[in-house]
Amino acid sequence: MNSVNDSLVYERSLPAEPVSVGTLRRELADALGPLGLGEDRLADIALVVSEALTNAAMHAYISMTPGSMTLVAAVSGGSLRVTVTDEGRGMVPRTDSPGLGLGLGVMSRLADALEISSPGGRGTEVSLSFPL
Amino acid sequence: MSDYLTVEARKHRRTALIALRGELDLVTVSKLAEVMDELAPDATGVRHIVLDLRGLTFMDVPALRELIRQNEFARSNRHNLAVVRGPAQVQRLLALTGVEEQLVLVDDPNDLALPA
């Protein structure tokens, strides 16, 4: 969750489906342009955010009515804070994913901080932080 | 949405060169899978596949999984798959996940001395 001291850079909700992942990733990259981040840092952010969005698009609404996913990015102090939220089934152990853990490993290694929670037991919120 | 990825495949005798341009992600990767599966390498047809990643501007984890799948298929099917190194973001993903250790990587397709 962003605080009142955060400076909002980007916010958008789209249906949680694969085609939305690229749209949100590209729009976020455009929105981050004015921050003057290096090419490598921008690439890391795009990859990590893409993975969080992919998880929401592929797994959040299994066996329930499809919903949306929301991407928010804000500058807070010396960090870029990014959250990906959905209103799906929350964190459920999965055994159906080949390469389980590959994406989570990439996210945790490239982000400065990574938190995954299920606020109120509904949906999933992935909070990421990157140094500026 | 596969407009974000261009897959150019060329065949010369028993070698297929597949050059990618654009974004290889969970949506566009099906285009690559389709082209590679259609090659159907076997003992009498295509035996060598060169996958050129130099034109990519983005690659994600689902795309990486497809690369792993194709590499495992090449091993079990006993055909050759070589990957031409991509830009820094792509190489970083391969390195972070340890996948680069599993692949035959080259800097340039011309580095490969392939039999006809």
Side-chain angles (χ1 to χ4, degrees):
Chain A
M1 195 62 67
N2 299 305
S3 77
V4 289
N5 295 321
D6 293 352
S7 172
L8 187 67
V9 175
Y10 178 81
E11 179 171 15
R12 191 171 184 202
S13 296
L14 284 178
E17 52 191 40
V19 74
S20 299
V21 174
T23 302
L24 291 169
R25 182 181 69 235
R26 287 177 211 108
E27 287 186 1
L28 176 64
D30 288 344
L32 294 181
L35 296 183
L37 301 174
E39 202 172 304
D40 287 350
R41 177 59 46 79
L42 281 172
D44 287 351
I45 294 168
L47 181 57
V48 172
V49 168
S50 190
E51 185 57 22
L53 291 167
T54 295
N55 285 336
M58 300 302 290
H59 305 292
Y61 296 98
I62 289 176
S63 304
M64 60 187 291
T65 307
S68 64
M69 56 186 180
T70 301
L71 174 61
V72 178
V75 173
S76 175
S79 297
L80 177 72
R81 293 166 55 88
V82 179
T83 58
V84 174
T85 53
D86 63 65
E87 295 176 345
R89 58 184 184 156
M91 292 184 289
V92 178
R94 291 189 349 236
T95 57
D96 61 336
S97 177
L100 195 69
L102 197 60
L104 193 59
V106 168
M107 290 167 70
S108 61
R109 292 187 69 174
L110 293 182
D112 207 31
L114 163 66
E115 246 182 82
I116 303 174
S117 58
S118 195
R122 178 151 186 217
T124 301
E125 178 176 298
V126 179
S127 301
L128 302 153
S129 177
F130 302 90
L132 291 176
Chain B
M1 283 296 143
S2 54
D3 286 345
Y4 288 103
L5 179 75
T6 302
V7 182
E8 184 184 296
R10 283 185 290 141
K11 272 201 273 187
H12 178 67
R13 298 185 182 175
R14 306 191 68 189
T15 299
L17 175 64
I18 300 172
L20 305 180
R21 291 194 191 287
E23 301 177 3
L24 187 62
D25 65 13
L26 84 158
V27 172
T28 63
V29 72
S30 60
K31 196 171 178 179
L32 171 64
E34 192 180 321
V35 169
M36 290 194 73
D37 290 346
E38 273 178 11
L39 289 173
D42 60 25
T44 57
V46 170
R47 293 300 297 155
H48 316 284
I49 298 176
V50 182
L51 182 60
D52 189 345
L53 306 183
R54 289 177 297 179
L56 289 182
T57 55
F58 179 79
M59 186 166 108
D60 68 1
V61 172
L64 184 70
R65 290 196 182 104
E66 177 60 22
L67 200 54
I68 294 169
R69 185 182 79 85
Q70 292 292 345
N71 194 51
E72 287 173 350
F73 174 55
R75 287 186 180 181
S76 65
N77 192 48
R78 304 181 75 174
H79 68 269
N80 300 308
L81 173 65
V83 176
V84 183
R85 286 185 180 85
Q89 185 266 331
V90 171
Q91 289 309 122
R92 188 158 158 79
L93 177 59
L94 295 180
L96 269 177
T97 53
V99 173
E100 67 176 1
E101 309 282 331
Q102 302 168 30
L103 302 173
V104 175
L105 285 163
V106 296
D107 288 322
D108 191 289
N110 296 322
D111 292 346
L112 293 162
L114 296 172

